[in-house]
């Protein structure tokens, strides 16, 4: 089976940039109907109008067309040679950047800060499993929200209620800098790096999907409820919609620690996924 | 309420934190790199890319325009990164800034002292905000690409008064349930 990774990357980047995720749109519509305050309703109406216009005009939902991050889950797919996968996916990102008039936001040298690329190279997180699938998911992360990422190496005896407070206090501090209403991704466990990657991956989880782990599902709901009491509101104008959803992913961790990663993601969280099945 | 540039003293006095207004007139885009350059030029007593007196800066780096468009997606970027430059610019005549998110106390003090205003607009809505731009022209630092200074003519561009000339902040009012 010959897979055209370049085309896949191109399509994912264009789709993510122009077409707001269906699960997010549904939650936004519901929130807009529930807001009573005039400004909050105006803000949510603008967000929804924006998503319609972006799709219709094929114009980027947000001028920050993000940092492309690929999450690859490779099953038992019988591909002998994956040596060119990174290169081909990067080529697709470059093509989409040109074709879609996306902003060139990536600087090749973080210190010199002089030359931009065509949003390449992307970042890759690769994992393996025993399925018969190859999953390619692209997250394009805007940096207004990325700048609000937080990592904490907590005491292993930290209580759930303390985790709730930590997240709520963090978002209180973030305020409206990262385009609320937010999707909050939380990674618990692993190592420092793993907790952060998990927290990013958590923002990819559909808001329609309920966490199968009851304890985590409860924790997600508790945090969401507390965040919506902050009254930051859509785009910071006050109101009851500060958070669209909280998603938690966990991983085994060390007896001496409890890493906690918090990824703040905007109302225009952009991701797209392609699943290739092998039989 | 519809308002126009230049923002005169009387109008600025009437603007209150939490007001939704629609601005028409001319504004300039400037973000991280341009702020650094402007402050360097001021230190060297050199000419600035645009006259700061009574000007309005929009923190924005748009996507490239497609052939028949005026500009690409063009929403606001986070204002707080420009905080450390803003009070100096206010002192030199900058009247208003447009961005997203809260500002430092230092900026709020400068807005109050020099009778200016800080507006926020709809973050993450660049395709929608595109429809309020009537013209766009690069006027300085073309080599910075998206970060170049653009003079934009806007019509009924939606803005929320986030810090008014009295130093009132929308983020104080919202927590006290004072916004309707």
């Amino acid at each position: 089976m010959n897979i055209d990774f370049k085309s896949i990357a191109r399509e994912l980047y264009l789709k993510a940039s122009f077409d707001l995720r269906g699960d997010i749109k549904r939650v936004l519509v519901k929130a807009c109907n529930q807001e009573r305050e005039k400004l909050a309703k105006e803000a949510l109406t603008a967000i929804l109008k924006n998503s319609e216009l972006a799709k219709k005009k094929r114009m980027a939902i947000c001028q920050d067309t993000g940092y492309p991050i690929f999450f690859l889950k490779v099953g038992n797919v019988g591909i002998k040679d994956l040596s060119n996968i990174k290169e081909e996916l990067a080529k697709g990102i470059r093509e989409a950047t040109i074709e879609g008039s996306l902003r060139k936001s990536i600087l090749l040298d973080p210190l010199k800060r002089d030359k931009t690329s065509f949003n390449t190279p992307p970042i890759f997180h690769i994992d393996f499993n025993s399925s018969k699938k190859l999953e390619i998911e692209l997250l394009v992360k805007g940096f207004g929200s990325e700048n609000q990422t937080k990592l904490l190496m907590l005491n292993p005896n930290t209580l759930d209620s303390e985790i709730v407070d930590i997240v709520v206090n963090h978002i209180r501090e973030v305020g409206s800098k990262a385009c609320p209403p937010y999707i909050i991704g939380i990674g618990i466990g692993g190592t420092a790096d793993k907790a952060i990657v998990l927290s990013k991956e958590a923002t990819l989880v559909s808001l329609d999907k309920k966490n199968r782990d009851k304890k985590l599902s409860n924790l997600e709901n508790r945090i969401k409820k507390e965040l919506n009491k902050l009254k930051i509101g859509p785009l910071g104008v006050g109101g009851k919609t500060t958070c669209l959803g909280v998603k938690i992913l966990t991983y085994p961790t060390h007896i001496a620690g409890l890493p906690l990663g918090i990824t703040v993601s905007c109302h225009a969280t952009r991701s797209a996924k392609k699943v290739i099945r092998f039989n | 309420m519809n308002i126009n540039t230049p923002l005169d003293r009387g109008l600025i006095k009437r603007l209150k934190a939490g007001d939704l207004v629609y601005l028409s007139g001319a504004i300039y885009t400037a973000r991280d790199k341009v702020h650094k350059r402007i402050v360097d030029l001021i230190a060297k007593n050199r000419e600035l890319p645009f006259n700061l007196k009574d000007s309005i800066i929009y923190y924005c780096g748009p996507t490239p325009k497609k052939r028949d468009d005026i500009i690409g997606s063009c929403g606001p970027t986070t204002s707080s990164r420009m905080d450390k430059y803003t009070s100096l610019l206010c002192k030199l005549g900058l009247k208003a800034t447009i961005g997203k998110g809260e500002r430092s106390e230092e900026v709020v003090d400068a807005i109050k002292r020099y009778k200016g205003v800080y507006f926020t607009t709809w973050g993450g809505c660049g395709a929608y905000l595109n429809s309020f731009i009537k013209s766009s022209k690069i006027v300085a630092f073309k080599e910075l690409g998206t970060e170049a200074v653009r003079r934009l003519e806007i019509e009924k561009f939606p803005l929320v008064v986030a810090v008014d000339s009295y130093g009132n902040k929308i983020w104080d009012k919202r927590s006290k349930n004072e916004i309707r």
Side-chain angles (χ1 to χ4, degrees):
Chain A
M1 189 174 186
N2 224 340
I3 306 164
D4 185 353
F5 290 114
K6 186 172 79 176
S7 297
I8 289 170
R10 186 180 137 271
E11 277 158 32
L12 291 178
Y13 196 12
L14 292 175
K15 184 171 194 293
S17 299
F18 300 145
D19 198 355
L20 187 64
R21 263 167 52 182
D23 59 318
I24 298 177
K25 218 181 286 177
R26 282 189 284 281
V27 180
L28 283 168
V29 168
K30 205 171 143 197
C32 190
N33 291 333
Q34 282 171 354
E35 279 289 355
R36 289 286 159 264
E37 289 167 32
K38 182 178 164 273
L39 263 187
K41 227 178 171 60
E42 286 276 353
L44 287 168
T45 306
I47 290 171
L48 289 168
K49 263 191 211 159
N50 185 67
S51 73
E52 281 166 31
L53 278 173
K55 191 173 179 181
K56 199 173 101 191
K57 290 162 68 174
R58 288 179 71 75
M59 181 179 281
I61 293 169
C62 176
Q63 74 287 341
D64 183 353
T65 49
Y67 203 127
I69 307 166
F70 281 103
F71 290 82
L72 303 178
K73 293 204 172 72
V74 186
N76 179 14
V77 294
I79 304 172
K80 287 200 186 78
D81 183 12
L82 279 171
S83 61
N84 69 343
I85 187 167
K86 283 169 82 171
E87 198 185 314
E88 289 299 307
L89 289 174
K91 277 187 197 162
I93 292 295
R94 182 192 157 90
E95 274 189 9
T97 301
I98 297 167
E99 186 189 326
S101 292
L102 305 182
R103 192 175 78 179
K104 296 194 284 176
S105 307
I106 307 306
L107 294 160
L108 288 169
D109 185 320
L111 294 177
K112 273 201 230 150
R113 308 192 77 80
D114 51 353
K115 283 191 203 93
T116 52
S117 68
F118 290 90
N119 296 325
T120 51
I123 288 169
F124 296 91
H125 298 296
I126 304 169
D127 207 353
F128 299 90
N129 58 51
S130 58
S131 74
K132 287 272 180 194
K133 292 184 293 189
L134 172 61
E135 294 179 51
I136 303 173
E137 191 154 22
L138 175 67
L139 171 67
V140 288
K141 190 66 167 77
F143 249 64
S145 61
E146 181 64 4
N147 281 335
Q148 307 302 336
T149 307
K150 189 151 185 140
L151 170 70
L152 292 113
M153 300 305 281
L154 299 174
N155 186 296
N157 293 329
T158 304
L159 303 170
D160 286 4
S161 61
E162 292 173 299
I163 292 178
V164 175
D165 289 345
I166 288 166
V167 177
V168 172
N169 287 334
H170 179 55
I171 300 304
R172 185 180 288 119
E173 213 169 286
V174 169
S176 63
K177 293 185 195 77
C179 288
Y182 298 129
I183 292 169
I184 305 299
I186 297 175
I188 304 176
T191 49
D193 49 332
K194 184 67 183 176
I196 287 291
V197 175
L198 280 176
S199 72
K200 273 216 163 56
E201 214 175 339
T203 67
L204 299 171
V205 178
S206 169
L207 298 178
D208 298 334
K209 234 188 198 164
K210 204 177 159 192
N211 200 322
R212 270 192 236 148
D213 184 315
K214 209 165 168 208
K215 185 174 143 74
L216 292 180
S217 174
N218 286 339
L219 192 55
E220 288 171 351
N221 290 335
R222 257 169 84 188
I223 295 170
K224 183 180 166 190
K225 206 172 146 197
E226 290 303 315
L227 289 177
N228 282 327
K229 284 186 196 161
L230 290 175
K231 300 243 163 72
I232 294 168
L235 304 173
V237 299
K240 47 183 161 186
T241 320
T242 299
C243 174
L244 297 175
V246 175
K247 293 290 170 190
I248 302 177
L249 293 177
T250 62
Y251 201 78
T253 196
H254 193 281
I255 51 171
L258 179 58
L260 174 74
I262 307 172
T263 286
V264 180
S265 200
C266 61
H267 62 76
T269 296
R270 281 149 292 158
S271 68
K273 187 175 181 176
K274 171 89 179 172
V275 180
I276 307 158
R277 286 166 212 282
F278 296 79
N279 287 306
Chain B
M1 183 173 36
N2 290 321
I3 61 174
N4 295 292
T5 64
L7 302 176
D8 65 57
R9 228 189 151 86
L11 169 68
I12 285 182
K13 272 169 80 175
R14 288 201 301 279
L15 298 175
K16 299 281 156 61
D19 286 353
L20 178 63
V21 297
Y22 301 92
L23 177 68
S24 302
I27 61 175
Y28 292 93
T29 64
R31 48 174 292 161
D32 305 74
K33 276 184 182 152
V34 168
H35 277 74
K36 190 161 186 284
R37 286 197 186 188
I38 286 181
V39 169
D40 287 346
L41 290 171
I42 292 168
K44 290 178 190 148
N45 224 345
R46 301 255 292 274
E47 198 190 336
L48 301 183
F50 58 93
N51 189 355
L52 277 179
K53 180 94 178 79
D54 292 332
S55 65
I56 300 174
I57 287 180
Y58 180 25
Y59 304 133
C60 172
T63 58
K65 73 184 187 88
K66 288 186 187 159
R67 205 185 305 157
D68 298 328
D69 292 338
I70 295 164
I71 194 169
S73 188
C74 55
T77 194
T78 312
S79 309
S80 60
R81 293 197 314 274
M82 270 54 78
D83 278 356
K84 63 176 178 176
Y85 309 105
T86 305
S87 44
L88 173 64
L89 302 188
C90 290
K91 191 178 163 190
L92 297 176
L94 174 68
K95 222 18 29 145
T97 52
I98 304 169
K100 63 165 166 144
E102 296 77 6
R103 308 299 303 257
S104 67
E105 277 306 308
E106 187 200 341
V107 172
V108 175
D109 287 345
I111 289 168
K112 198 172 160 185
R113 182 173 322 136
Y114 301 107
K115 299 281 166 254
V117 56
Y118 166 55
F119 299 108
T120 57
T121 184
W122 307 135
C125 297
Y128 175 56
L129 293 175
N130 167 287
S131 48
F132 304 99
I133 313 278
K134 297 303 148 193
S135 76
S136 166
K137 192 180 170 227
I138 293 181
V139 293
F141 310 138
K142 189 169 187 286
E143 68 281 9
L144 294 182
T146 183
E147 292 203 55
V149 176
R150 288 170 172 79
R151 183 180 187 276
L152 305 181
E153 278 176 50
I154 57 176
E155 197 178 299
K156 295 191 179 157
F157 194 94
L159 301 173
V160 175
V161 178
V163 179
D164 63 29
S165 59
Y166 306 94
N168 298 312
K169 298 160 262 185
I170 196 170
W171 49 95
D172 282 350
K173 294 183 102 175
R174 71 187 177 212
S175 59
K176 292 183 213 143
N177 264 335
E178 289 173 355
I179 299 166
R180 287 287 172 266

